[in-house]
Structures are given as structure tokens and as C-alpha cells.
Amino acid sequence: MSTTPDYQIILNQIQREFAELPLSGKVASYIPELAGVPFDKFGMHLHTMAGEDFCFGDSKDRFSIQSISKVFSLSLAMKVVGEDLWSRVDVEPSGDPFNSLSQLENEAGIPRNPFINAGALVVADVLVSSFSNPKAALLTFLHEITGDPTITYDETVAASEKAHGYRNYALVNYMKSFGNIENEVEEVLDLYFHQCSLEMSCKELAQAFIIYANQGALLNSEREFLTGQQVKRINALMQTCGFYDEAGEFSFEVGLPGKSGVGGGIVAVHPKKYAVAVWSPPLNPKGNSALGMAALERLTTLTGFSIF
Ligand code: GLN
């Protein structure tokens, strides 16, 4: 019989081990707001199914969650359009960088999965079609799952994403030429750039992601935000596509479904046990937090369990 590990002792050990090592990687620099984030921020928060919290470091600082938001937008889109979504977005790993254009041509404007930018842009299009105010609808979903109404967009980051978003413009325009974008390009990108600008802490992310560990429900609540089947699909997509062309490496090293963002955050889920978020801004060449991945590898090694 397995016993519950002492998560705080394990987190303290992870913090100590990495404090002694030099940081590798480069902080995202495609917009000035991310380039200016201190490179040595490091925090981690683990929230268990028993409602316990364990943390260290800068776990309460809010940061730009960037592509982690793709999990929330996908969840909302699945709630509103259900299985119809899969005729417009595939569910296969891409093996390509997150902002790649090349597969779209051969695959007639159908993105490989909802976590590469092209897929998240189709999901954003679905939300624009489904809500009169999609930005407000996404915030409402987040406020409900976190219980925190102060979570919001960073308008400066959103404006900067727009000013530098040439590749995302290219992706939406290209998909629109194939008929896979229903709305105006500007409207779809406005939602996408805003969702990338969402600011949350490790603590808030771990609390929000507990629904993916708990079959779609908050702890101690009757309210189900997603069905068990939807959670199964989202976790499967995180496992196979959550780290772009490094999804295999993350599965291999960590063994949990998860999602990264270029702000340096990573969230991972151990179904029926916990959700965990880690933040360290320097990214490896694939755009994933270098220290974040290493810290999660230590977590599943030191606890002795992953989903495999
Ligand atoms: N804002 C970034 C982009 O669209 C998000 C990418 C990411 O976090 N992987 O390019």
C-alpha cells in the first residue's frame, strides 16, 4: 500500500538542490514585458486532493501564464461545442515548435492539436462565435474555478503581443483561407493575445488545475465544471501535446500530463492526487522552463510516483 509522501519535505529538498546550481536557458524576449522579468524567480506550489497546500519561493507572485491559458480556453470551448470541436482541430502531437506554420499547408488548415498556437487560435475562434463577450466569459470561467475574482488580463502584455504577433496573424489568416476561422482575424487575435496575458501565481494555477485531477469538479463541491470524459481528453492532450516538440521528453522525465508557457510557468496534474505549478522564467531551446521541467522531474522521482 502506498503512503502519502511528505510533500513539504520534498519541495524543500527541490528548492535546496536547485539553489546550488547555475540557471540555464534564456528568458523569453519576443516582447519587452517578458524580457524584463527577473531571471532568478523560482516558485512552486502543490495542491492536493485533500485540500492541502505545499509551496516554496516565489509561489505567490503572479506572472504571465501565456500558453498555459490554452488549457482554460480549450476547457471552455469543449463545454460549449462538445465533440464538434474535433472536426476543426486534431488531437495528434505535432513534433513541431508551438508557432510552426508548416504542417498547416499539408493538413488543409486543420491544426494538429489545440495546444500549438494554430490550434489555440481555432479554439479562440470557437469562443468568439459562442460568446458575445468571450474575454469576459474566459475570465468568469477562471474566477469560478479559482474562487478569485482578481485574476485578470495584463493589458500592456496583450498590446505588446499584438504589436509583435506577426506569426500569429499569419496563422489565423492562413487558416481563414482554408475556411477554418469563422470570425474576423482581429477579433480572434484579440482574445488570443489577451488569454496569453493572463496573470496568475503558482498557487492560483495549482488550485485552478485541481479540476483536472478531480474529474472536473472543485474540491468539496457538487459543482462539476467539466465531465469526467472531458477531463480525460484534456489530460490526454496535455500528456501528448502540452510541451510541443518536447512532449516526449516531458513524459519521459516527469510522467505527468502538463502544460507550459513562455512566461516560464509549467502546470502538471497527477489525476486523483494533486495539481502542481512551478515558475522559473529561463526557457530551454524548445520554449519550456528549463528549471521548471527539472523541478518536476525531481518531484515525481522523490515522491516515487507518476502516472506510469
Ligand atoms: N504568446 C505566445 C505566442 O503566441 C505564447 C506561446 C507559448 O507560451 N508557448 O507566441
Side-chain angles (χ1 to χ4, degrees):
M1 213 188 88
S2 70
T3 51
T4 305
D6 189 324
Y7 289 115
Q8 193 59 53
I9 288 182
I10 289 172
L11 261 57
N12 292 345
Q13 179 172 342
I14 294 171
Q15 182 181 30
R16 238 185 359 259
E17 283 179 9
F18 289 105
E20 288 151 20
L21 296 177
L23 282 169
S24 67
K26 284 202 178 75
V27 177
S29 57
Y30 70 97
I31 55 171
E33 290 72 16
L34 290 185
V37 176
F39 72 99
D40 55 353
K41 289 279 181 186
F42 184 31
M44 195 162 179
H45 189 105
L46 187 145
H47 187 52
T48 70
M49 287 280 292
E52 297 165 313
D53 289 288
F54 305 94
C55 62
F56 68 71
D58 303 307
S59 61
K60 292 185 187 63
D61 287 18
R62 283 186 174 167
F63 60 90
S64 193
I65 72 166
Q66 293 290 328
S67 283
I68 295 172
S69 67
K70 292 170 180 171
V71 181
F72 300 131
S73 59
L74 173 66
S75 303
L76 191 55
M78 285 172 73
K79 274 169 82 72
V80 289
V81 298
E83 297 288 300
D84 288 351
L85 185 63
W86 311 121
S87 61
R88 295 183 56 193
V89 192
D90 209 342
V91 295
E92 294 299 336
S94 71
D96 264 352
F98 60 85
N99 54 8
S100 170
L101 281 140
S102 61
Q103 280 169 349
L104 280 178
E105 174 152 40
N106 291 334
E107 294 170 7
I110 306 287
R112 273 283 173 101
N113 66 67
F115 293 150
I116 52 172
N117 286 17
L121 288 161
V122 169
V123 169
D125 184 55
V126 166
L127 295 179
V128 171
S129 295
S130 307
F131 294 99
S132 57
N133 187 341
K135 283 188 279 184
L138 187 58
L139 275 189
T140 302
F141 176 69
L142 270 173
H143 294 167
E144 285 177 353
I145 61 173
T146 57
D148 185 340
T150 69
I151 291 170
T152 193
Y153 305 113
D154 181 324
E155 292 295 340
T156 313
V157 170
S160 207
E161 293 280 345
K162 179 176 164 126
H164 297 85
Y166 304 109
R167 207 170 254 268
N168 288 317
Y169 271 94
L171 287 165
V172 186
N173 276 296
Y174 200 42
M175 291 190 290
K176 194 159 176 77
S177 78
F178 284 102
N180 199 17
I181 293 290
E182 292 172 353
N183 299 283
E184 291 305 321
V185 165
E186 289 291 345
E187 273 185 289
V188 175
L189 286 168
D190 184 55
L191 174 59
Y192 178 76
F193 292 142
H194 275 83
Q195 72 176 70
C196 287
S197 83
L198 279 163
E199 295 256 300
M200 290 172 75
S201 66
C202 289
K203 178 173 193 228
E204 291 158 349
L205 282 168
Q207 287 172 347
F209 268 68
I210 203 75
I211 63 171
Y212 306 105
N214 189 33
Q215 296 283 304
L218 289 176
L219 300 181
N220 307 317
S221 159
E222 297 293 292
R223 180 135 179 233
E224 190 187 75
F225 286 91
L226 295 161
T227 66
Q229 195 200 42
Q230 287 168 334
V231 167
K232 178 183 80 174
R233 297 206 186 303
I234 293 166
N235 286 348
L237 286 164
M238 284 200 270
Q239 189 72 45
T240 52
C241 313
F243 299 81
Y244 321 112
D245 44 344
E246 205 168 36
E249 179 79 8
F250 190 82
S251 272
F252 187 79
E253 298 287 348
V254 180
L256 297 176
K259 186 73 203 80
S260 64
V262 292
I266 301 181
V267 186
V269 172
H270 196 309
K272 304 192 172 59
K273 287 194 195 295
Y274 62 75
V276 60
V278 57
W279 177 46
S280 165
L283 307 176
N284 66 21
K286 310 270 179 166
N288 300 313
S289 170
L291 179 53
M293 280 184 67
L296 290 170
E297 188 280 325
R298 291 302 287 148
L299 176 68
T300 51
T301 298
L302 292 169
T303 55
F305 52 73
S306 73
I307 66 163
F308 297 109

